[in-house]
Amino acid sequence: MFEYFTGKNYVWNFAVVGALNSGGRIDEVDRACRPLLDIAKGNEDVGTVDFLNSWTAMVDQLVSAADDDAKKGHARTAGQAYVRAANYLITAERMQQAGTPEREATYQRCLDLMELSFELNDPLTRRVAIPFRDTTLPAYFTKPATTDGRPTPVMIQWNGLDSTKEHMYVSEHNQELAERGIATLMVDTPGSGEALRKQGLTSQVNSEEWAAACVDFLEADPTIDASRIGIVGWSLGGYYAPRAAAFEKRLALCVAWGANHNWGQVQRRRVEREGERPVPHYWDHVMWVWGETDLDAFLEMADGIHLDGVVEKIDVPFLIAHGANDRQIPVDLARRSFDQATNSPKRELRIFTADEGGAEHIGLDDLGHVSDFVANWVADTFAELDAAER
């Protein structure tokens, strides 16, 4: 993995490479990071507000130039700049401690920039609200530019512990699927993104409830093929998505983008400082996500977040994509999901190596490489399902 900061600050380096592999420009990222070189030599939790301030200063310059382009009618240039600015802001916001005053305004600015970018440069994507309980799940919905006249297959995309629908959008996985004739519904599930930050929805073990809401929403859309609804989740979504596919039988296929077969076990390891953490201020973050206030109570609850006895219930095609050098989630957990998914009619374990790229957590060191593989697998599998029904 490319590591901008020297020393052992995995968490900051992971954030930087994520921004770069999600449409960031290296000069812009360098200008944001260069003032942080000395600060980054310390503990991963120290200096995160400095990180936000430095990245925000760079974003301010970028947005000012984009505003000028928009006024001149240069819609594409402005729209592309706005989405890069959103990428940088969501990267910096993700690094902040839960409850940091600057988080709310930063996230709202990110939402506003995303809407500007859709308006100017992406007519295929729109913001939607998925009915859920007495509220909604915020989402972005991308549809292909052209179809063959038939209803469109679709992938529900879920994020993980610390990412958002904005992270999913800037990864451009939705664009890869759209080029293959597949729509993408990128959802902030409870415990993530806007659902957590704006609505206070915390996470839960039984993710099939969210899946049912997403499928209900898609089934009501006449342009969508209700028999071809798949689901993909990355990072902690590698638990959420297989769990959903095991119990929500309207899903046609499932992808675990970073296997998370036993997330509770990983938390016990992290207490012992084994493996890397994804974000600074880690324990504050996970308890915010799950609505817990006591670490011992959280760990006891987390012991139940696993897929033992669950993936056996998946009876649709199932892809597990994992990095060989994943320093957050051991690769053995990917093998465990594969070994137990014995009722899937098409199960595949794809381990990405350092030689080819994509070897780190969710393949963030070469995200495009992993994204292409997943998109091709999904397109091929939908085609196989179609052929089998003819």
Side-chain angles (χ1 to χ4, degrees):
M1 184 175 77
F2 170 71
E3 297 184 354
Y4 183 93
F5 299 110
T6 58
K8 297 181 179 180
N9 200 332
Y10 167 86
V11 175
W12 285 36
N13 282 322
F14 187 73
V16 169
V17 81
L20 286 170
N21 274 323
S22 298
R25 291 185 177 175
I26 194 165
D27 177 68
E28 292 167 346
V29 171
D30 178 55
R31 281 189 276 129
C33 287
R34 193 169 291 269
L36 303 170
L37 286 169
D38 288 337
I39 298 171
K41 295 175 183 176
N43 183 285
E44 66 198 37
D45 294 344
V46 176
T48 52
V49 173
D50 296 298
F51 190 107
L52 176 62
N53 291 339
S54 188
W55 282 57
T56 299
M58 179 269 292
V59 165
D60 289 344
Q61 293 179 329
L62 179 59
V63 169
S64 178
D67 290 344
D68 288 341
D69 277 317
K71 291 174 183 175
K72 295 173 183 175
H74 302 156
R76 178 172 171 80
T77 302
Q80 290 175 329
Y82 287 141
V83 79
R84 291 202 314 279
N87 174 17
Y88 301 142
L89 283 179
I90 202 62
T91 297
E93 189 269 354
R94 173 183 168 274
M95 301 283 282
Q96 304 309 301
Q97 189 169 17
T100 301
E102 295 87 351
R103 288 196 80 152
E104 183 176 353
T106 301
Y107 188 64
Q108 183 59 55
R109 189 183 185 193
C110 180
L111 294 176
D112 295 341
L113 288 167
M114 291 296 291
E115 289 300 312
L116 283 172
S117 73
F118 297 157
E119 179 183 339
L120 293 173
N121 198 51
D122 186 5
L124 300 179
T125 301
R126 61 188 175 95
R127 177 187 174 87
V128 297
I130 300 165
F132 177 72
R133 297 180 187 165
D134 60 352
T135 183
T136 60
L137 299 178
Y140 297 142
F141 197 11
T142 300
K143 292 184 178 180
T146 58
T147 66
D148 58 5
R150 298 189 302 167
T152 305
V154 61
M155 289 297 291
I156 300 165
Q157 188 177 6
W158 287 351
N159 47 48
L161 177 74
D162 49 81
S163 57
T164 65
K165 66 185 180 303
E166 290 72 42
H167 285 116
M168 291 189 284
Y169 179 84
V170 299
S171 78
E172 299 184 346
H173 187 62
N174 61 318
Q175 294 183 26
E176 291 302 322
L177 290 172
E179 289 296 325
R180 293 162 175 81
I182 301 166
T184 309
L185 183 68
M186 297 156 277
V187 187
D188 276 337
T189 57
S192 74
E194 195 174 345
L196 176 66
R197 289 158 175 77
K198 296 286 190 178
Q199 296 166 236
L201 292 173
T202 55
S203 193
Q204 63 190 54
V205 171
N206 54 323
S207 58
E208 61 270 23
E209 183 186 6
W210 318 332
C214 294
V215 174
D216 288 346
F217 173 84
L218 292 167
E219 285 186 336
D221 187 334
T223 69
I224 294 298
D225 183 349
S227 69
R228 296 290 177 265
I229 300 174
I231 191 164
V232 55
W234 66 24
S235 195
L236 184 52
Y239 162 81
Y240 294 142
R243 164 89 195 195
F247 296 106
E248 175 46 77
K249 295 302 182 181
R250 291 176 292 174
L251 294 169
L253 58 82
C254 177
V255 180
W257 189 334
N260 232 316
H261 188 94
N262 194 325
W263 193 73
Q265 181 185 86
V266 171
Q267 305 321 297
R268 296 289 181 179
R269 292 177 64 243
R270 285 176 178 165
V271 169
E272 303 299 325
R273 297 295 303 185
E274 296 178 13
E276 296 288 359
R277 303 173 180 183
V279 289
H281 316 290
Y282 180 74
W283 296 112
D284 285 343
H285 186 86
V286 292
M287 288 193 283
W288 178 40
V289 166
W290 290 91
E292 298 284 348
T293 57
D294 177 78
L295 181 58
D296 290 336
F298 162 76
L299 291 170
E300 185 175 349
M301 181 278 300
D303 287 337
I305 305 171
H306 62 78
L307 294 172
D308 291 328
V310 174
V311 289
E312 293 91 332
K313 296 179 172 63
I314 296 175
D315 55 8
V316 295
F318 182 30
L319 170 65
I320 303 154
H322 204 87
N325 192 45
D326 190 327
R327 288 177 264 178
Q328 296 183 38
I329 307 298
V331 70
D332 286 348
L333 293 181
R335 296 190 178 99
R336 193 184 306 178
S337 281
F338 177 79
D339 290 343
Q340 292 182 13
T342 52
N343 290 309
S344 168
K346 176 188 176 182
R347 56 176 172 153
E348 182 172 350
L349 174 61
R350 176 66 162 90
I351 297 176
F352 292 85
T353 66
D355 286 344
E356 63 177 309
E360 294 288 340
H361 183 61
I362 69 165
L364 204 64
D365 53 306
D366 193 348
L367 193 60
H369 177 48
V370 181
S371 176
D372 286 347
F373 179 87
V374 171
N376 286 333
W377 186 92
V378 167
D380 290 347
T381 303
F382 275 141
E384 290 164 7
L385 293 172
D386 285 341
E389 289 187 358
R390 293 197 187 110

